[in-house]
C-alpha cells in the first residue's frame, strides 16, 4: 500500500496562535498533535489534518504553496474574508488584477492564501479548502500522483493537479517558470505509512519515483525531498486525536 497524506504542516513562529487562526477560518476542531504540537482536524475522516510546528526561520519571498478557499456565494466569500481579517489576517498584493474575483490574504504568520469567488467549476465539490496550490513542475505533479496513488485530474500546458479517489482538496502545480527555492519551505507534506507496510520498501518505492532520502528525524521519521526539492516526511501514523 502507498503512503497516505496525513497532514499539511506549517512551520510557524507561533504555532498555537496560527492554529487558532486557521481553526477559526475553516471551522475545524483543534486537537493535540502527535508530538505535543498543535493541530486542527477536518470535519470528516477522508481529509488531512493541518499541523503547526515550531519554526524560527524568517519568511523570505512567497511560499511555494498556499490554500485556495472556496465560497458558496458572494456573501459567503465576504464572510470568510471578514472572519480572516477579524482573526488577524491581512490583505496583501501579489500582483493580482483588480478584475480578478479572488481575494488574496495572509495569515498572522505571513502565509499567503486566497478566498476564491463563488462559481469556480474547477474547485466545485472540493470542500472549504478547494486546493493546495503549489509552485512546481509537471514532473513533481506526476511524482505525487504516483507516490500517493491519486489520479491526475488536470494535465495541460505543464500544469497538473491531483485529487484523492475519495474527493476533497485538490493539489495543483502551476508549471514553469518555477521560482528558485530559498531555504526550508514553510509548508510541507507529512505522509503516514499504512499498517503492515514495510518502511524500507516504501522508502525504496518513493526513491525509485524520484524522491531523495535526506535523513531520519525523531521517532524514526523519514525525511525526504520530492523532485522539486520540497521537503516531506514519512512516519507511522499516530492515533487520531
Amino acid at each position: 500500500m502507498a503512503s497516505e497524506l496525513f497532514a499539511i504542516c506549517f512551520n510557524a513562529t507561533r504555532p498555537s496562535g496560527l492554529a487558532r487562526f486557521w481553526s477559526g477560518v475553516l471551522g475545524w476542531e483543534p486537537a493535540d498533535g502527535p508530538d505535543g504540537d498543535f493541530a486542527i482536524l477536518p470535519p470528516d475522516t477522508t481529509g488531512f489534518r493541518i499541523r503547526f510546528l515550531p519554526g524560527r526561520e524568517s519568511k523570505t519571498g512567497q511560499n511555494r504553496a498556499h490554500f485556495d478557499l472556496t465560497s458558496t456565494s458572494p456573501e459567503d466569500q465576504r464572510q470568510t474574508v471578514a472572519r480572516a481579517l477579524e482573526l488577524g489576517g491581512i490583505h496583501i498584493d501579489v500582483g493580482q488584477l483588480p478584475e480578478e474575483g479572488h481575494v488574496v490574504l495572509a495569515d498572522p504568520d505571513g502565509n499567503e492564501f486566497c478566498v476564491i469567488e463563488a462559481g469556480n467549476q474547477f474547485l466545485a465539490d472540493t470542500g472549504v479548502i478547494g486546493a493546495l496550490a503549489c509552485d512546481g513542475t509537471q514532473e513533481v505533479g506526476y511524482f505525487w500522483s504516483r507516490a500517493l496513488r491519486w489520479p491526475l485530474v488536470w494535465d495541460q500546458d505543464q500544469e497538473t493537479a491531483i485529487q484523492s479517489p475519495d474527493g476533497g482538496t485538490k493539489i495543483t502545480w502551476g508549471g514553469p517558470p518555477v521560482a528558485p527555492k530559498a531555504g526550508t519551505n514553510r509548508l510541507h507534506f507529512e505522509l503516514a505509512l499504512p499498517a503492515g507496510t514495510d518502511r524500507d520498501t516504501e522508502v525504496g518505492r518513493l526513491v525509485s519515483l524520484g524522491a531523495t532520502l535526506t535523513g531520519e528525524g525523531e521517532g524514526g521519521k523519514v525525511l525526504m525531498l520530492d523532485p522539486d526539492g520540497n521537503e516531506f516526511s514519512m512516519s507511522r501514523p499516530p492515533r487520531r486525536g
Side-chain angles (χ1 to χ4, degrees):
M1 294 179 65
S3 294
E4 300 169 351
L5 180 58
F6 175 70
I8 303 295
C9 299
F10 282 78
N11 293 330
T13 56
R14 293 191 304 111
S16 60
L18 203 59
R20 284 193 297 271
F21 173 84
W22 282 105
S23 176
V25 170
L26 300 176
W28 290 15
E29 292 295 321
D32 292 331
D35 299 317
D37 59 290
F38 299 89
I40 58 175
L41 302 181
D44 56 59
T45 58
T46 61
F48 50 82
R49 65 174 61 195
I50 304 175
R51 294 182 63 199
F52 304 90
L53 312 176
R56 297 181 179 179
E57 288 193 22
S58 59
K59 189 170 185 292
T60 57
Q62 292 182 28
N63 289 339
R64 270 193 165 188
H66 68 269
F67 287 141
D68 283 341
L69 308 186
T70 58
S71 304
T72 58
S73 67
E75 179 59 25
D76 181 49
Q77 183 185 30
R78 286 191 290 269
Q79 289 178 355
T80 300
V81 171
R83 188 165 61 249
L85 295 175
E86 183 179 351
L87 291 167
I90 59 171
H91 286 280
I92 59 171
D93 183 358
V94 296
Q96 67 270 28
L97 300 176
E99 62 268 24
E100 292 179 310
H102 62 278
V103 179
V104 184
L105 303 171
D107 67 23
D109 219 22
N111 302 299
E112 305 86 2
F113 67 100
C114 295
V115 184
I116 306 299
E117 67 275 15
N120 185 295
Q121 293 303 307
F122 182 70
L123 301 182
D125 301 319
T126 54
V128 62
I129 303 179
L132 178 68
C134 306
D135 191 18
T137 62
Q138 184 181 54
E139 179 187 7
V140 86
Y142 290 169
F143 167 81
W144 281 110
S145 176
R146 294 164 183 150
L148 297 173
R149 291 181 177 156
W150 287 12
L152 282 162
V153 294
W154 182 263
D155 184 11
Q156 187 172 315
D157 299 327
Q158 299 190 61
E159 298 177 355
T160 52
I162 63 174
Q163 187 179 32
S164 166
D166 298 322
T169 301
K170 293 178 178 178
I171 305 176
T172 70
W173 293 270
V178 178
K181 187 169 181 287
T184 302
N185 288 338
R186 277 193 158 196
L187 280 72
H188 68 269
F189 296 159
E190 180 179 4
L191 307 186
L193 193 63
T197 303
D198 181 73
R199 191 187 77 161
D200 291 343
T201 299
E202 178 63 359
V203 169
R205 184 182 76 90
L206 294 173
V207 169
S208 73
L209 293 175
T212 301
L213 179 64
T214 60
E216 187 168 309
E218 295 181 3
K221 181 177 294 185
V222 179
L223 307 178
M224 308 187 82
L225 301 174
D226 72 16
D228 277 1
N230 302 301
E231 301 84 4
F232 71 97
S233 65
M234 183 186 69
S235 58
R236 295 289 179 187
R239 293 181 179 180
R240 285 187 178 266

